Amino acid sequence: MRQALLADRAGWAGGRSGVLPALLGQAPMIATKPMPNRRGMPSLSRALVAISSLLLAGLFFFPLWQVRLKAPQYPEGLGMNIRINTIEGATENDLKNINGLNHYIGMKPIDPETIPELRFMPWIVGALIVSGLAVAAVGRRTILYSWLAGFFALGVAGLIDFWRWEYDYGHNLDPTAIIKIPGMSYQPPLIGTKQLLNFEAVSLPGIGGILAGVAFALGLFAVIHSLRQGRASQDSHAVSAAGETFRSA
């Protein structure tokens, strides 16, 4: 019935009178044919995926995440930038000072060399970039959906892993620490602001993280646009098929 209505709307079935013969069985059923562009991505979607992939390259140059600590004794604040391959202080001595403060509460020192994720994360980002460019070049919708699903899964896994990393550092404290407050933990927020003793900890995405978010949004828009174009192509083909059927009847 939907195809008959589409044919009627286009006028190829003889205006309003074209629906009735189809409904009454006085006209042959509308043939369905494979959509010529059903599996292909529209050019806009391909361009968006290419741009999305290139934006991810920013992760190699800008911090993925940043944590800032503010306290009266540190009016200029302390901070560290988390990159995909290392963790460094916001200024030259910040990471050293943060580790010095963490020692008093029994927190493990933050040593990039002991964090395995920092070794393989550049390869994951690189693979995401290369595969995204391949999706744009090949232009198949199915691999576009797979690529974006993988992008989403990696992003969620990364956030969960970061939360677990923060939990480990904030809860597994040295029982012989100089400062011990029963029931107190020092896990920074995953995102946002949290008060830890007299320090205000602020955790937010860095420029690299923002670029990754924009890249995912572009990929999502590419999928939505591709789905809409696919639906429009399918409807157009159905109307065309209906017109051919009724003309030949």
Side-chain angles (χ1 to χ4, degrees):
M1 180 181 293
R2 181 170 175 271
Q3 291 173 323
L5 291 172
L6 289 171
D8 177 65
R9 186 185 303 170
W12 293 348
R16 293 182 179 179
S17 61
V19 175
L20 188 57
L23 295 177
L24 296 177
Q26 297 174 1
M29 296 297 293
I30 299 171
T32 58
K33 298 179 180 179
M35 302 298 104
N37 295 320
R38 190 173 182 178
R39 297 180 179 178
M41 291 167 53
S43 56
L44 177 58
S45 292
R46 299 175 71 167
L48 289 173
V49 173
I51 295 172
S52 172
S53 302
L54 294 176
L55 283 179
L56 287 174
L59 287 167
F60 287 92
F61 304 99
F62 302 105
L64 174 64
W65 217 266
Q66 57 186 12
V67 178
R68 298 289 183 265
L69 299 173
K70 301 177 182 177
Q73 64 269 40
Y74 292 97
E76 297 181 355
L78 297 172
M80 59 182 184
N81 297 325
I82 302 172
R83 297 178 178 271
I84 59 173
N85 62 341
T86 190
I87 298 177
E88 61 187 16
T91 62
E92 182 179 0
N93 295 317
D94 275 8
L95 187 57
K96 179 181 178 181
N97 290 332
I98 290 173
N99 280 331
L101 292 170
N102 290 343
H103 171 72
Y104 290 106
I105 58 176
M107 185 181 291
K108 293 183 294 185
I110 299 173
D111 182 4
E113 299 296 328
T114 64
I115 302 175
E117 290 88 339
L118 299 176
R119 292 197 293 273
F120 56 75
M121 199 181 301
W123 293 97
I124 293 176
V125 175
L128 203 56
I129 294 171
V130 173
S131 59
L133 292 174
V135 169
V138 175
R140 300 293 293 272
R141 292 178 184 174
T142 51
I143 58 174
L144 167 63
Y145 305 152
S146 300
W147 178 78
L148 189 67
F151 192 166
F152 177 77
L154 288 172
V156 172
L159 289 174
I160 292 174
D161 185 67
F162 182 41
W163 181 88
R164 291 182 59 188
W165 181 81
E166 288 184 320
Y167 184 93
D168 179 52
Y169 272 81
H171 288 80
N172 296 324
L173 305 173
D174 186 349
T176 64
I178 300 172
I179 299 176
K180 290 186 292 185
I181 301 178
M184 182 69 186
S185 64
Y186 304 96
Q187 180 180 2
L190 180 65
I191 183 169
T193 302
K194 184 177 181 180
Q195 193 69 30
L196 300 172
L197 296 179
N198 63 332
F199 280 88
E200 181 188 54
V202 181
S203 176
L204 294 171
I207 295 177
I210 294 173
L211 290 175
V214 174
F216 181 79
L218 291 178
L220 183 60
F221 187 80
V223 168
I224 294 173
H225 180 68
S226 183
L227 288 172
R228 288 180 174 176
Q229 288 298 309
R231 177 65 62 86
S233 175
Q234 189 171 4
D235 289 347
S236 176
H237 186 81
V239 170
S240 178
E244 293 177 1
T245 301
F246 282 109
R247 278 198 298 271
S248 62

